[in-house]
Amino acid sequence: MTELSEIGEFGLIEKLAKDIKITNKSTIKGIGDDAAVLNLSNNLTVVTTDMLIEGVHFDLGYVPLRHLGYKSVVVNISDVYAMNAKPKQITVSIAVSNRFPYEAIEELYEGIKAACENYKVDIIGGDTSSSHKGIAISITAIGEVEKDKVVYRNTANAGDLICVSGDLGAAYVGLQLLEREKYIYQENPKIQPNLSGHEYILQKQLKPEARYDIINFFNSNNIVPTSMIDISDGLSSEIIHICSQFGLGCDIYEDKIPIAQQTIDMSLEFNIDPIVTALSGGEDYELLFTVSPEDVEKIKANNLISIIGNITKSNDMNLIAKDGTKIPMTAQGWNAMR
Ligand code: ADP
Ligand code: MG
């Protein structure tokens, strides 16, 4: 193992940056000068930042550094997609304590680079610092969208259909499973974690993907959602942002909310109603969006998308239960559940 103090900050940056290639034509200058240089077109530019702190956002007890690197990129570009934009560049800032050898940072960067390759994003710079304790990663993503295609979260209209990509709640029960197995292992190190059969929920927690497929679908089918947000804190807290305009509410149908079988099974194992997991679990990184009724046939043709309800002219946000009863929805974000 190579101590970070041995190679120093510049040595570290040099090693990390060594095989970083530039693929987007809007990236004029990447790593290596005082600032990166971009040639942004006539399109609109979107910028977003997320910070991940060890012990707050992740636990290296069960999160491999490579997955952490991958996920820290994905959570950022998910925000870019939620504007209906395409991510193009990221900057990566890290703070690490000397508890980590160079090889650990290299692992982290392997994940960061893998995500950048998958999503065709250039790493154009960052900052490197030491920390007293633990590791922190801050990533800024820059994306591009045509002027008439940008989608905000608070621009839905009454009568619009509410849609969601993929399925919900998996990452939350994946986390609960990892926490449980960690606890069991700490109590008795002879017991090996039993994770088989739970691959889907673990993957949604440890290596989520951002929904470029949905954005491409919009593009190739001439759909511009009337509003959109990515689901990081749980459906019930994100829907509030969608309905935040005066006089808008929603009806969401319980039986239309997509939940994977592994999510249902694990929720029941933890004595949680699966619908609560889907509404209040976090870190789905699925897209929640509304479309005008004229796009309904196009949306129905895509089996990656579920229509879960509609925007109403009222101030009420309702969950319509399977038996038809209306339950007011509250903002139980996922923090509230931890
Ligand atoms: P400055 O002192 O001007 O801030 P640095 O020595 O911090 O410059 O950085 C030199 C170059 O390396 C810059 O292009 C910067 O963006 C890049 N860089 C620094 N840290 C990282 C990192 N962790 N990942 C990617 N690029 C980095
Ligand atoms: Mg610097």
Side-chain angles (χ1 to χ4, degrees):
M1 291 293 150
T2 317
E3 290 235 8
L4 285 179
S5 57
E6 245 172 73
I7 50 178
E9 184 193 330
F10 294 125
L12 175 63
I13 296 172
E14 200 178 303
K15 275 179 181 293
L16 294 176
K18 193 174 68 223
D19 57 353
I20 290 178
K21 289 182 229 41
I22 297 299
T23 59
N24 283 300
K25 65 176 195 297
S26 53
T27 309
I28 305 300
K29 176 82 191 175
I31 295 174
D33 213 309
D34 295 309
V37 180
L38 305 180
N39 185 5
L40 301 170
S41 61
N42 288 327
N43 293 336
L44 298 179
T45 303
V46 303
V47 180
T48 177
T49 297
D50 263 297
M51 185 142 89
L52 298 173
I53 309 286
E54 183 180 356
V56 179
H57 300 100
F58 57 89
D59 181 339
L60 291 178
Y62 50 72
V63 177
L65 280 161
R66 186 181 293 251
H67 289 68
L68 177 64
Y70 195 93
K71 182 170 174 175
S72 56
V73 175
V74 164
V75 302
N76 271 281
I77 59 186
S78 176
D79 281 323
V80 173
Y81 288 134
M83 304 303 291
N84 202 27
K86 299 243 167 72
K88 299 288 178 179
Q89 288 92 12
I90 61 165
T91 62
V92 181
S93 297
I94 51 172
V96 269
S97 78
N98 54 15
R99 162 181 134 224
F100 295 91
Y102 165 67
E103 286 74 9
I105 312 305
E106 196 179 27
E107 257 321 281
L108 177 78
Y109 260 75
E110 287 306 316
I112 291 175
K113 287 175 189 172
C116 288
E117 216 163 276
N118 265 2
Y119 292 94
K120 301 188 169 56
V121 171
D122 294 335
I123 303 174
I124 56 160
D127 201 18
T128 306
S129 163
S130 58
S131 81
H132 286 300
K133 202 164 160 270
I135 182 164
I137 308 162
S138 172
I139 293 187
T140 297
I142 298 166
E144 231 184 282
V145 55
E146 286 169 47
K147 285 197 170 85
D148 54 351
K149 297 217 167 132
V150 65
V151 178
Y152 299 100
R153 47 172 72 174
N154 64 345
T155 42
N157 307 301
D160 286 351
L161 300 160
I162 301 171
C163 310
V164 68
S165 65
D167 55 73
L168 302 178
Y172 178 74
V173 282
L175 179 65
Q176 298 310 306
L177 173 64
L178 287 164
E179 292 275 356
R180 182 182 76 188
E181 295 301 312
K182 177 188 162 190
Y183 178 78
I184 293 172
Y185 179 77
Q186 280 173 340
E187 294 291 297
N188 186 350
K190 288 205 190 89
I191 302 178
Q192 283 302 308
N194 180 9
L195 303 172
S196 71
H198 306 302
E199 286 76 9
Y200 179 68
I201 59 174
L202 290 170
Q203 195 227 316
K204 283 287 273 188
Q205 168 57 224
L206 292 173
K207 189 173 173 284
E209 301 290 353
R211 297 312 301 251
Y212 69 91
D213 51 347
I214 303 294
I215 302 305
N216 286 346
F217 165 77
F218 292 152
N219 228 335
S220 49
N221 286 277
N222 279 318
I223 298 169
V224 179
T226 51
S227 70
M228 183 152 59
I229 188 168
D230 75 327
I231 305 183
S232 49
D233 295 334
L235 175 64
S236 61
S237 95
E238 311 300 1
I239 194 74
I240 291 173
H241 297 297
I242 296 275
C243 299
S244 66
Q245 291 173 81
F246 180 73
L248 282 191
C250 67
D251 285 339
I252 304 264
Y253 294 86
E254 179 183 359
D255 60 351
K256 300 274 197 268
I257 296 176
I259 312 177
Q261 191 58 46
Q262 280 190 19
T263 308
I264 295 173
D265 295 345
M266 192 50 65
S267 295
L268 296 175
E269 232 180 284
F270 281 106
N271 285 318
I272 308 170
D273 185 340
I275 199 70
V276 173
T277 303
L279 288 173
S280 309
E283 302 192 290
D284 292 308
Y285 302 109
E286 296 293 346
L287 292 171
L288 174 67
F289 57 94
T290 55
V291 294
S292 103
E294 65 201 41
D295 286 328
V296 64
E297 290 311 320
K298 292 185 200 168
I299 294 289
K300 277 185 178 163
N302 187 330
N303 59 14
L304 302 172
I305 297 172
S306 304
I307 301 174
I308 60 169
N310 47 275
I311 300 286
T312 58
K313 225 187 185 112
S314 74
N315 281 313
D316 307 325
M317 294 187 301
N318 299 308
L319 180 71
I320 316 290
K322 285 172 187 153
D323 64 3
T325 48
K326 281 192 175 187
I327 306 162
M329 299 219 320
T330 52
Q332 256 225 349
W334 95 297
N335 285 332
M337 290 195 68
R338 289 199 92 182

